[in-house]
Each structure stands twice: as structure tokens, then as C-alpha cells.
Amino acid sequence: MHIKKGIPVSPGIVIGEAYILENEEYLVRKKEIPESETQNEIDRFEKACSASVTELQSLVTDVNKKIGQGYSHILDAYIKIIDDPSTKSQIKKVIASDHFSAEYAVETVLKRYIKALMVLNDQYFSARVQDIQDIKKRILRNLFGAKKQDLTKLKKSIIIVAQDLSPSQTVSLDREKIIGFITDTGGRTSHTAIVARAMGIPAVVGLETVSVDISGGDILVVDGNNGLVIINPDEETLKKYRQMEKIFTNFEKNLTIELKDQPSVTLDGHKVRILANIEFPEEVASSLKFGAEGIGLYRTEFLYINTRTHPTEEEHFKAYKKAIDELGNKEIIIRTLDMGADKFETSEQAKEHNPFLGCRAIRLCMLRTELFKPQLKAILRIAFYGKNVKMMLPMIATVEEIRQVKAILEQVKSELRRSNVQFSDNLQTGIMIETPSAAITADLLADEVDFFSIGTNDLIQYTIAVDRINEKVAYLYQPAHPAILRLLQNVIAAGKKHNKRVAMCGEMSGDPLYTILLLGMGLMEFSVTPTSIPTLKKIIRSVTMDEAKKTCEKALTLKTSEEIRNFLTTRIKRIIPEAF
Ligand code: PEP
Ligand code: MG
């Protein structure tokens, strides 16, 4: 048994078999073979090695021809490693003496090498880790033949173990069969984590070397509430977690049933709005099931996932219509394109030195109006169709940006008028408050817009200067940092003063730890991952505004995020002990 601690990003407890997702999606199972099969497995292994060497030799010839002699030494080194007698004999020993399949033997022995190199924590050896990973993948590909494991046709439930998962890989996971996932990299507000929460898949990220530590077929406990992964648990631990799994699932189920149709009001009668964040129109139905009053954030950039071309105006319109038809007259806030470095590895942003500080979101839209205009047209048209549609702009840092967008919006309206297309002429437009400059100047921005929605995921990363997807600095990523609390206070006060709605749609709004604090600050609108709605409602219905204000006042006197978190934990544990 072995326990690893990472970052909990999607709650729940699951127990299941590990499935190692190599970048090329090969499933390496811990498969035992009968004695009579061992020679056959050794032959398969030898053949896979020869095929890998032949591939590499032809690559060497190619490289020499195209770029000249001297550039192929890395490939020569690969060939030497594959042909190394000591490595080969170790792999064959796992097959012949331990009776494991060739795939599992390759995986186990080469992983041992990788682990040994990683322990050295040296730049030179880190690069060699990559080389051995490449070699492992090449031999495995030849062992498996051209056939790749198809994640959509799994026969039993599994837990995905990966170095990293992109949001697009996450959304294509089969919810029926994939019951949890764990990764080496990532942080709480990475879009992969957000998608996992939306899908209700328990997940732990930032586990550093977990994809190397675990082999396919290992039994895992994933505790998405506490960020723990237990590898091959003993009987007693397994029993304990099976019980916890049951308690948590029942808690969530009962809470949803109990609270779905109950209003979200405080004990002393203050109404609080709870809306849902979605990435796809298909999520509207489950948002309503969890009791959402509407959609407070529709992340439209996910329309770009898994497509090679940019969506057309009609494709935007169709997606929005799908959501609206499901919502009826309930509100939907469509956020314009927020292309970000952590969402699309192949986008232009990836080529920038500091993608998060570069041409992202509204900045990209202003630069690439051929992308932006079709979306604006589709939103204007759908607002005529849907009546309760609003638009929200991401990553606003200056008043000028809002004015520039408004000018483009007027141009787009003229174009629609000229084409005799019906659209809404009084579309309400709000902005996300997710840069420190916007939070500090909220009073100036308030005059220019209809509403604010605080995007804490980015606001925290930009305020504390901590990359939201980098697990190495995740300890610094603290919603409870006194600087964040002060900025939130400023934004909520500016909204109140200027009579503008203020909502919060960053992940902080769905974290039960902060609900009372935020209520006490005067936040009356929360837009959250649908699965968080019942818990939030339960908390809101258990406090008075007076209590919430006192909690907030006390929290604001504390100096460190740890003190604030501890203080809030004791408060919230009294209401929902099951969630902690
Ligand atoms: C945020 O930054 O808080 C937010 C909601 O936007 P995203 O997570 O899509 O960047
Ligand atoms: Mg954001």
C-alpha cells in the first residue's frame, strides 16, 4: 500500500482499477501468462524491438538526407538503448520468471529506469526520462501492433492515470466507464479540473510522478475530497473507503433530492441566486436537475474543442439555441470567446512567451475580429430569440476595451440591419472581473456595463502571480489570501454603489468553504459547477445574514490564508461535516 497526496479538484470517492493513459493511449494491463506462453511472449518482445530498431534506422537515413550527418546521434542512442543486452535480459526475466506479458514487462522495467532518473532531479537526466518514455512508447506500439486502445469501448470501470489530460481529452471520457482520474500535473482551476467537476468525475491532480508510480491493473482509491490516492490498499483501508464512498454518494444524492425545489434563502429570508457554469449546451439539463436558476457562465470557447476550423455564425447560433430551448425563460449569460493557453495547446497563444499575459480572451477577439464578429452576430440574434440572454466579456483590464467592443458591436448591428436579420437591440452586456486592474477600478468600469461577474480563477492567478495550472506553485494559489478578500470586497461595494449586479463565477463561488464569507461580503449571486448547487443551498439555508457578516468581519482581521481557512473550516464543518 502506498499513499500519495495531490490537489483535490473534483469531489467524491471511487475505488477501481488503474488504466495508464500514455500519450498514445496504450492500455498496459498487469497481465499474467501461463508458463507455456513465455517463449511466445519473448519472441513477440524481440520482434517489437527489431521493428522499433528498423523504424529508427530508416529515420536516421531520413534525417541524414534531409538535415545532414551529425543530427541523428540521438536516434543512434535510442537504437543502442533498445539493443542493450542488460535491459533486454531484465525485460525477458520479468516475462520468463515472473510470467507477465511482454507489454507489462517492458512497461515495468523501463518505468523503473525512468523513476531512477527522476530521483536524480537533474536537468540532463530529466531529458533522458523523455528519451526512455519515447522508446517505451515505440516498443509498446510495435507490441500492440497498429491497434490503439479505444477509450470509448471499455468493458469495465476504470480510473485514468495520466501525466496530463487536456480539457478535450477529459470531455471525451466515457462517464459510464471512467469513474475517476488522476494526473501528474495540473491545478484546481485548470480547465481539465473544471470539466471533471462538471462531469461529476472524482479527480486528483498535481501528483507529480503518479503516472510512473502506478502500473496498469493496480487497485486505486481516489479521494477527491482530500486529494489522496491510495495505491493497492490493504483490506482494512479498502473497507474503510468503501464505506466512505457510500456515505458521500448518499449525501450528495439525498441533498440533491431534498433541496432541488427549495428556494436558496438565508434563515432570515434573504434571497440568493444560484446559477450554473457550463461548457456545453448539453449540460443545461443536468444544471436544472441540480436546481440552477439559470446559466451564469457559458464558456463558449469549448465550441472550438475538437474542431479544426473556427465555428461559423450559424454553429454559434445553433449551440446557443440548443441551450435556450432547454432553459425556457431562464437566464443565460454567454461569455464571448476566452481562448487561453491552458485550453488550446495548438492555438496562437501557445507560441507566446507568457501566454496568460498575452493575447488571450478579449485581446485576441479585438485582434482577430473575423473570429469575434460571427460570435457577436450569433449572440445578438439569439438574444432576440431567447429574450433572457446576456453577454459577458472576459479578461477586461481597461475601460477602453469595453468601449472598443461596443464600437464593434455597433458595426455588427449595422451589418445585421443591412441584411434584414432580426436581433436584440438592447442586449445587456457585462464583464468578468478577473484582472487586478479591473477589480481595483470596478467603480470606473461600473458606469460602462450592466453587470459584473467575478472570475476568481484568473483573479487569483494574476493577483498572487501564481500560474493556475502549475502544481509546483499550487500552494500559493489561495482564494483566502487577504489580498483577494480585499479585492472582492472592493468589487462588491462598487457594484452596490453603482447599482450594478455582482455575481461570482470563478471556482471560489462553488467552494463551500467560502460561502458564508462571500454572503457576508454582500455577494448575492453565485454561478457554480452544477454539482455544487445542493451543498451551497444547504449552507445558505443554514445561516442568517447577520452571522455571515460577522464571519466576514472576523476573517478580514486575519493575516494569513491559513488562519482564514482554518477559521472558515470550523464554521462550515458545523453545517456540512460530510464534505470535509
Ligand atoms: C475565472 O477566471 O474565474 C473564470 C470563471 O473563467 P475561466 O475559468 O474560464 O478562465
Ligand atoms: Mg477566467
Side-chain angles (χ1 to χ4, degrees), residues 373 377 410-421 423:
K373 280 184 169 180
K377 282 186 184 169
E410 286 312 312
Q411 277 174 29
V412 164
K413 284 184 188 173
S414 308
E415 286 172 29
L416 287 173
R417 254 183 227 115
R418 275 201 299 276
S419 320
N420 268 332
V421 177
F423 65 90

Short mmCIF file of all heavy atoms in Angstrom, two decimals, residues 373 377 410-421 423:
data_model
loop_
_atom_site.label_atom_id
_atom_site.label_comp_id
_atom_site.label_asym_id
_atom_site.label_seq_id
_atom_site.Cartn_x
_atom_site.Cartn_y
_atom_site.Cartn_z
N LYS A 373 -16.58 38.68 -34.73
CA LYS A 373 -17.84 39.20 -35.30
C LYS A 373 -18.91 38.12 -35.49
O LYS A 373 -20.07 38.36 -35.14
CB LYS A 373 -17.56 39.93 -36.61
CG LYS A 373 -17.02 41.34 -36.39
CD LYS A 373 -16.88 42.02 -37.72
CE LYS A 373 -16.62 43.49 -37.55
NZ LYS A 373 -16.49 44.15 -38.86
N LYS A 377 -22.58 38.43 -33.77
CA LYS A 377 -23.83 38.36 -34.55
C LYS A 377 -24.74 37.28 -34.00
O LYS A 377 -25.94 37.48 -33.83
CB LYS A 377 -23.52 38.07 -36.03
CG LYS A 377 -23.03 39.29 -36.77
CD LYS A 377 -22.88 38.98 -38.25
CE LYS A 377 -22.31 40.19 -38.95
NZ LYS A 377 -21.89 39.93 -40.31
N GLU A 410 -21.65 47.80 -32.48
CA GLU A 410 -22.48 48.69 -33.32
C GLU A 410 -22.27 48.38 -34.80
O GLU A 410 -23.22 48.37 -35.58
CB GLU A 410 -22.17 50.17 -33.02
CG GLU A 410 -22.72 50.67 -31.70
CD GLU A 410 -24.19 50.31 -31.45
OE1 GLU A 410 -25.02 50.51 -32.35
OE2 GLU A 410 -24.49 49.77 -30.36
N GLN A 411 -21.01 48.14 -35.18
CA GLN A 411 -20.73 47.78 -36.59
C GLN A 411 -21.50 46.52 -36.98
O GLN A 411 -22.11 46.44 -38.03
CB GLN A 411 -19.25 47.43 -36.76
CG GLN A 411 -18.32 48.60 -36.95
CD GLN A 411 -16.87 48.06 -36.95
OE1 GLN A 411 -16.59 46.92 -37.33
NE2 GLN A 411 -15.95 48.91 -36.52
N VAL A 412 -21.45 45.53 -36.08
CA VAL A 412 -22.09 44.25 -36.35
C VAL A 412 -23.60 44.42 -36.47
O VAL A 412 -24.25 43.83 -37.33
CB VAL A 412 -21.71 43.25 -35.22
CG1 VAL A 412 -22.61 42.06 -35.22
CG2 VAL A 412 -20.27 42.82 -35.36
N LYS A 413 -24.15 45.29 -35.61
CA LYS A 413 -25.60 45.55 -35.68
C LYS A 413 -25.97 46.15 -37.03
O LYS A 413 -26.97 45.77 -37.63
CB LYS A 413 -26.02 46.51 -34.56
CG LYS A 413 -26.11 45.87 -33.19
CD LYS A 413 -26.64 46.90 -32.20
CE LYS A 413 -26.58 46.38 -30.78
NZ LYS A 413 -26.94 47.42 -29.80
N SER A 414 -25.13 47.09 -37.50
CA SER A 414 -25.42 47.72 -38.82
C SER A 414 -25.42 46.65 -39.91
O SER A 414 -26.27 46.66 -40.80
CB SER A 414 -24.36 48.75 -39.20
OG SER A 414 -24.22 49.63 -38.17
N GLU A 415 -24.44 45.74 -39.81
CA GLU A 415 -24.37 44.68 -40.83
C GLU A 415 -25.63 43.81 -40.80
O GLU A 415 -26.18 43.45 -41.83
CB GLU A 415 -23.12 43.81 -40.60
CG GLU A 415 -21.84 44.53 -41.00
CD GLU A 415 -20.57 43.75 -40.59
OE1 GLU A 415 -20.61 42.51 -40.50
OE2 GLU A 415 -19.56 44.42 -40.34
N LEU A 416 -26.09 43.50 -39.58
CA LEU A 416 -27.31 42.67 -39.45
C LEU A 416 -28.52 43.43 -40.00
O LEU A 416 -29.37 42.86 -40.69
CB LEU A 416 -27.55 42.27 -37.99
CG LEU A 416 -26.61 41.22 -37.40
CD1 LEU A 416 -26.86 41.05 -35.90
CD2 LEU A 416 -26.78 39.87 -38.09
N ARG A 417 -28.56 44.73 -39.69
CA ARG A 417 -29.69 45.55 -40.19
C ARG A 417 -29.71 45.54 -41.71
O ARG A 417 -30.75 45.35 -42.33
CB ARG A 417 -29.53 46.99 -39.70
CG ARG A 417 -30.50 47.33 -38.60
CD ARG A 417 -30.40 48.76 -38.15
NE ARG A 417 -30.37 48.75 -36.69
CZ ARG A 417 -29.35 49.13 -35.94
NH1 ARG A 417 -28.25 49.59 -36.51
NH2 ARG A 417 -29.42 49.05 -34.64
N ARG A 418 -28.51 45.73 -42.30
CA ARG A 418 -28.42 45.76 -43.77
C ARG A 418 -28.89 44.44 -44.37
O ARG A 418 -29.44 44.41 -45.46
CB ARG A 418 -26.99 46.05 -44.21
CG ARG A 418 -26.66 47.53 -44.24
CD ARG A 418 -25.45 47.83 -45.14
NE ARG A 418 -24.24 47.16 -44.67
CZ ARG A 418 -23.44 47.68 -43.72
NH1 ARG A 418 -23.73 48.83 -43.16
NH2 ARG A 418 -22.36 47.03 -43.34
N SER A 419 -28.65 43.35 -43.64
CA SER A 419 -29.07 42.04 -44.17
C SER A 419 -30.49 41.68 -43.75
O SER A 419 -30.92 40.53 -43.96
CB SER A 419 -28.13 40.94 -43.69
OG SER A 419 -26.83 41.34 -43.68
N ASN A 420 -31.17 42.62 -43.10
CA ASN A 420 -32.55 42.37 -42.66
C ASN A 420 -32.70 41.20 -41.72
O ASN A 420 -33.66 40.44 -41.79
CB ASN A 420 -33.44 42.09 -43.88
CG ASN A 420 -34.06 43.38 -44.36
OD1 ASN A 420 -34.25 44.30 -43.56
ND2 ASN A 420 -34.33 43.44 -45.66
N VAL A 421 -31.71 41.05 -40.83
CA VAL A 421 -31.77 39.94 -39.88
C VAL A 421 -32.24 40.48 -38.52
O VAL A 421 -31.80 41.55 -38.09
CB VAL A 421 -30.36 39.29 -39.71
CG1 VAL A 421 -30.40 38.18 -38.68
CG2 VAL A 421 -29.89 38.75 -41.05
N PHE A 423 -32.55 40.99 -34.61
CA PHE A 423 -31.64 40.84 -33.46
C PHE A 423 -32.11 41.73 -32.32
O PHE A 423 -32.97 42.59 -32.51
CB PHE A 423 -30.20 41.20 -33.87
CG PHE A 423 -30.02 42.65 -34.25
CD1 PHE A 423 -29.68 43.60 -33.28
CD2 PHE A 423 -30.21 43.08 -35.56
CE1 PHE A 423 -29.51 44.94 -33.63
CE2 PHE A 423 -30.06 44.42 -35.90
CZ PHE A 423 -29.71 45.35 -34.94
#
